[in-house]
Amino acid sequence: MGDKNLDFLFNPSSIAVVGASVHPGKISSIIIESLKNSGYPGKIYPVNPAYEKIGSERCYPSVLSIGEEVDLALYAIPAGGVAGSLREADGRVKGAVIIGGGFGEAGEAGRAYEKELRDIVRKQGVRVLGPNCMGLYDTVSRLDTFFVSPDRIKRPGPGGLSMVSQSGSFAVTAMDELAAEGIGVARIVSYGNKVDVNESDCLEFLANDESTRAVALYIESVDDGRRFVEAASRCSASKPVMAVKVGRGGAGVSAARSHTGAITGRYEIYRAAFRKAGIIELEGYEEFIGACKAYGTQSAPAGNRVMIITDGGGMGVSIADACAGAGLEVPPLSPEAVEEFRGVFPPYFSVSNPMDLTGSATNGLYAEAVLKTMASGDYDIAIVAALWGPPGLTDDLPGLIAGKAGEAGKPVIICSPGGEFTRKKSALFRDLGLPVFTTPESAVRAAKALAGGGAIKRGRSV
Amino acid sequence: MGDKNLDFLFNPSSIAVVGASVHPGKISSIIIESLKNSGYPGKIYPVNPAYEKIGSERCYPSVLSIGEEVDLALYAIPAGGVAGSLREADGRVKGAVIIGGGFGEAGEAGRAYEKELRDIVRKQGVRVLGPNCMGLYDTVSRLDTFFVSPDRIKRPGPGGLSMVSQSGSFAVTAMDELAAEGIGVARIVSYGNKVDVNESDCLEFLANDESTRAVALYIESVDDGRRFVEAASRCSASKPVMAVKVGRGGAGVSAARSHTGAITGRYEIYRAAFRKAGIIELEGYEEFIGACKAYGTQSAPAGNRVMIITDGGGMGVSIADACAGAGLEVPPLSPEAVEEFRGVFPPYFSVSNPMDLTGSATNGLYAEAVLKTMASGDYDIAIVAALWGPPGLTDDLPGLIAGKAGEAGKPVIICSPGGEFTRKKSALFRDLGLPVFTTPESAVRAAKALAGGGAIKRGRSV
């Protein structure tokens, strides 16, 4: 069997791109371009028997002809040609990333190609990521095999969140959204049909990866449940691990099957496995992206008591409702806190939880509300629903809230629904590392994911 | 008792602004400015005994001194002064909008002020909207009493959606978001503490209002359940009526009480009343805004069978999962349709429901998928999840999809999650009147609201 440690995959010192092309629009050309743009520091070997040179660079007729051992071979050629080329490279590459589709997800011929790949993996010990995947986007090793134009799909900057996704488009979309939300990432893996490397392999690597501080999984299917629970447990012992399992029933199941050929299984089994492995369970894309934003900027809290601060009463009520629905507590202010606030706030402010600063809200009053409530021992998370209507709120507001949140050392989530002006101002919160949500319900989902991680941590430490 | 018909409120021919000021930052000044900006065609009378003129315009010492009957008096003065001024204006105004707070929601003194207002309404027959409300934003009569700066809170253009909200900030935020989403509105009412005019009065007016094609309600409490069910039933007989009821339990209930002094009652009672009245039940802000976007652009479908078309397999699976969770059907393609598509689509496309056009998607293939599936009798709603990664998708895509949707005459919902590029392209869909959602789950919530309206319509016609 091949290398157990996936270091050569996540931190390769050299890469061969099989199917390199002189045409700039080809997938292989986009990948070579992306590798260079992302600052990949290792050697890149273009491979294609059709060319001696691509631009000014030497092109090799085969992986074998490179003459040195190569960590990673990227295959961007039609399905039918992959097995032969990989067999030929035997012993000269540690691993391969097979980008293209046309395998298990694509009829009988594809299934035969995929079986051939599995045989090679079993017999030769080479490790394979894919096929039918996007490969890796990695800010630690500066890898980028995601063959989508950066004009259309932005890449996030460096950060502590790593993502492991069976679906390429899901990973691409989430990556693009995280970039827009200012959330950095460590490593993103799209593993597709997983003839070899799967979610459990990735979890084992990420468990010991110092660059990764939280892990988000998108799963259509898990083949070896016991190994998955073991790998995830090891990983969740040192960092939050969250997962969405799609293909839950009806059309979703058959869609997942035709998507990556996955046998999806009953959802209840996955739920039990997640619980056993200390995984935070997420429902769908919405909870997934929300949890990524939350864990990309905040840490799990010590409990699930939420303080809600707003300048719009109706929005406060809506957040409180959503908290109740999500099983989060919204405890009332202590009598001492009420008295203290009553001494400094105008009489028409609603001094309770939710706290409503009304249209007379100012930066200073918001800061005071955040600090006084969060510095007390009464709350674990703050949801601050800053509606930008009141003229007393200015560009200094986000800095003041972030500052007070920092002093209190507790997670803060911003809920800022609205239109153009509000959407622009949201960038001020994001730049300060606070996650911004556009509905009460999405803010509460993020709080729930954070609280869930806290509960798992406490459960382990008991 | 006062005028039963609220025409003078929604279509006033003259307005007195009590508490008009020479200072431009004052609420009264913002309101007069807004009325002028929105093109209000009636007479505006500034009222304040402190000034003879405001700018170049005559200012009246009292409503009485105007010398003519006035449809509407707007009160933007402290709570303590309202009752006296309103009593004095007896017989000279048909109705009053009391903007300011400091009434039932604000302690003992406030409750006494509010009781005084209720007495005046009962004895004198003048109709009152508020207090503690934003009043009206109305594109039909060109009213705008929403005292928030248009720099911060944009006003939607004309459209068929009307909104009735107990909470001012909720209405303001929704209005601003609808403006950003390109959804037009007819009339928006914020009714606050409702000493007189309430949701039932508004529903009675809107039932017969030709400018209103759909009604969205935000409710904290209903006092007269029987009258509400009657009014809502009449309204829902001719147009979709949807409602969110907040203050459902725990902190939400007490927050709603301190917000508008409402006694919120048990949610199950509201749910039963909604069902009886043919109201589409919405949960929270998220479903509210989604349903507004859906009914602001689309009509209720004939059934709940959803066709999902995407170029990202994982996103298709996620939408199918969300549909299953929402009780929407995702029926497979008919064998005839499969055969037809197989003849024209590449073999690696997933010809099923969800349909996955993969990274090889083009404008033309999308258009074909939308038209062929929606023109058949097999589906009632389309959710099109266009991920903008594939280079074959260009700015012509939204027009083609909107065109084919139009030919089929069925509602289409766009699901377009992602970052900067995607968010920019979403405007193309919006400009063509298609509602855009940024997560699979939010698109499905909108589809569910539309399907719910369809089911109510069919239930009535049986």
Side-chain angles (χ1 to χ4, degrees), chain B residues 96-264:
Chain B
V97 177
I98 301 169
I99 296 292
F103 291 86
E105 83 286 1
E108 209 170 317
R111 279 194 292 278
Y113 293 143
E114 190 159 309
K115 188 182 171 301
E116 222 180 330
L117 283 185
R118 285 185 200 275
D119 288 344
I120 295 171
V121 167
R122 211 180 46 241
K123 285 181 200 155
Q124 305 188 359
V126 62
R127 302 299 311 258
V128 171
L129 182 70
N132 189 23
C133 76
M134 304 292 291
L136 294 138
Y137 172 74
D138 192 314
T139 65
V140 186
S141 59
R142 300 185 161 196
L143 272 179
D144 184 357
T145 71
F146 275 48
F147 49 98
V148 280
S149 156
D151 294 341
R152 292 183 174 229
I153 304 292
K154 288 264 175 293
R155 271 56 166 178
L161 179 74
S162 287
M163 190 189 299
V164 179
S165 173
Q166 197 158 354
S167 162
S169 69
F170 195 97
V172 164
T173 307
M175 174 170 101
D176 187 32
E177 187 155 354
L178 291 178
E181 298 290 325
I183 311 291
V185 302
R187 317 194 188 251
I188 300 182
V189 194
S190 149
Y191 61 85
N193 296 7
K194 51 174 175 176
V195 295
D196 176 24
V197 173
N198 61 22
E199 54 288 327
S200 300
D201 295 298
C202 294
L203 283 167
E204 276 173 10
F205 175 85
L206 296 173
N208 299 317
D209 178 33
E210 282 181 16
S211 307
T212 296
R213 292 192 298 275
V215 179
L217 300 170
Y218 165 101
I219 292 169
E220 294 184 355
S221 65
V222 168
D223 304 317
D224 183 344
R226 182 182 301 228
R227 192 175 156 227
F228 173 75
V229 170
E230 281 171 11
S233 298
R234 256 197 304 282
C235 198
S236 73
S238 62
K239 55 196 81 177
V241 177
M242 48 212 155
V244 65
K245 155 76 177 84
V246 304
R248 294 170 157 221
V253 170
S254 51
R257 188 173 302 136
S258 73
H259 181 219
T260 55
I263 310 294
T264 53

Side-chain angles (χ1 to χ4, degrees), chain A residues 244-259:
Chain A
V244 66
K245 155 74 176 86
V246 303
R248 295 172 155 218
V253 170
S254 51
R257 188 172 301 137
S258 73
H259 180 218

Side-chain angles (χ1 to χ4, degrees), chain A residues 290-340:
Chain A
C292 285
K293 284 164 67 176
Y295 279 104
T297 56
Q298 312 288 301
S299 298
N304 73 343
R305 298 165 305 167
V306 179
M307 178 70 212
I308 303 165
I309 304 169
T310 185
D311 54 294
M315 221 41 85
V317 182
S318 301
I319 295 172
D321 276 353
C323 281
L328 298 173
E329 286 181 57
V330 185
L333 290 181
S334 68
E336 298 75 40
V338 170
E339 199 173 334
E340 206 183 342

Side-chain angles (χ1 to χ4, degrees), chain A residues 1-16 35 40-43 69-75 86 91-98 121 124-130 135-136 138 141-145 187 189 196-198 201-202 204-206 209:
Chain A
M1 292 302 286
D3 204 331
K4 285 269 177 220
N5 183 333
L6 290 186
D7 206 51
F8 66 89
L9 178 67
F10 286 100
N11 300 307
S13 53
S14 56
I15 298 175
L35 283 172
Y40 172 67
K43 289 256 338 172
E69 194 173 315
V70 172
D71 270 359
L72 215 55
L74 295 182
Y75 284 87
L86 189 60
R92 309 307 292 262
V93 298
K94 290 189 183 162
V97 177
I98 300 168
V121 167
Q124 305 188 358
V126 63
R127 301 299 311 261
V128 171
L129 182 70
L136 294 138
D138 192 315
S141 59
R142 300 186 160 194
L143 272 178
D144 184 359
T145 72
R187 314 187 188 261
V189 194
D196 176 23
V197 174
N198 62 22
D201 295 298
C202 294
E204 276 172 11
F205 175 84
L206 295 174
D209 179 32

Side-chain angles (χ1 to χ4, degrees), chain A residues 102 105-106 148-149 151-154 167 169-170 172-174 176-177 179-181 218 220 245-256 258-259 283-287 289 308 311-318 320-321 324 330-331 347-348 350 352-354 356 387-394 417-423 430 438-442 445, chain B residues 102 105-106 148-149 151-154 167 169-170 172-174 176-177 179-181 218 220 245-256 258-259 283-287 289 308 311-318 320-321 324 330-331 347-348 350 352-354 356 387-394 417-423 430 438-442 445:
Chain A
E105 82 287 1
V148 280
S149 157
D151 295 340
R152 292 183 173 228
I153 304 292
K154 288 266 176 289
S167 162
S169 69
F170 195 95
V172 164
T173 306
D176 187 32
E177 187 155 355
E181 298 289 324
Y218 165 100
E220 294 183 354
K245 155 74 176 86
V246 303
R248 295 172 155 218
V253 170
S254 51
S258 73
H259 180 218
E283 287 204 22
Y285 180 82
E286 198 164 65
E287 286 201 6
I289 203 79
I308 303 165
D311 54 294
M315 221 41 85
V317 182
S318 301
D321 276 353
V330 185
Y348 49 88
S350 179
S352 52
N353 188 12
D356 179 7
L387 308 178
W388 283 93
L393 303 182
T394 75
E420 264 177 50
F421 185 88
T422 296
R423 294 175 191 187
R430 281 200 286 265
T438 58
T439 66
E441 293 79 11
S442 55
R445 279 192 291 268
Chain B
E105 83 286 1
V148 280
S149 156
D151 294 341
R152 292 183 174 229
I153 304 292
K154 288 264 175 293
S167 162
S169 69
F170 195 97
V172 164
T173 307
D176 187 32
E177 187 155 354
E181 298 290 325
Y218 165 101
E220 294 184 355
K245 155 76 177 84
V246 304
R248 294 170 157 221
V253 170
S254 51
S258 73
H259 181 219
E283 287 205 20
Y285 180 81
E286 198 164 67
E287 285 200 7
I289 203 79
I308 303 165
D311 56 292
M315 221 41 85
V317 181
S318 301
D321 276 353
V330 184
Y348 49 89
S350 178
S352 50
N353 188 14
D356 179 7
L387 308 178
W388 282 93
L393 303 182
T394 73
E420 265 177 49
F421 185 88
T422 296
R423 294 176 191 186
R430 281 200 286 266
T438 59
T439 66
E441 293 78 11
S442 55
R445 280 192 290 268

Side-chain angles (χ1 to χ4, degrees), chain B residues 358-408:
Chain B
T358 80
S360 306
T362 63
N363 299 344
L365 294 168
Y366 254 112
E368 201 150 325
V370 171
L371 183 62
K372 279 218 173 79
T373 54
M374 297 317 288
S376 80
D378 300 340
Y379 302 99
D380 306 300
I381 313 175
I383 299 182
V384 179
L387 308 178
W388 282 93
L393 303 182
T394 73
D395 286 3
D396 292 335
L397 177 68
L400 280 164
I401 290 177
K404 298 305 178 191
E407 284 180 47

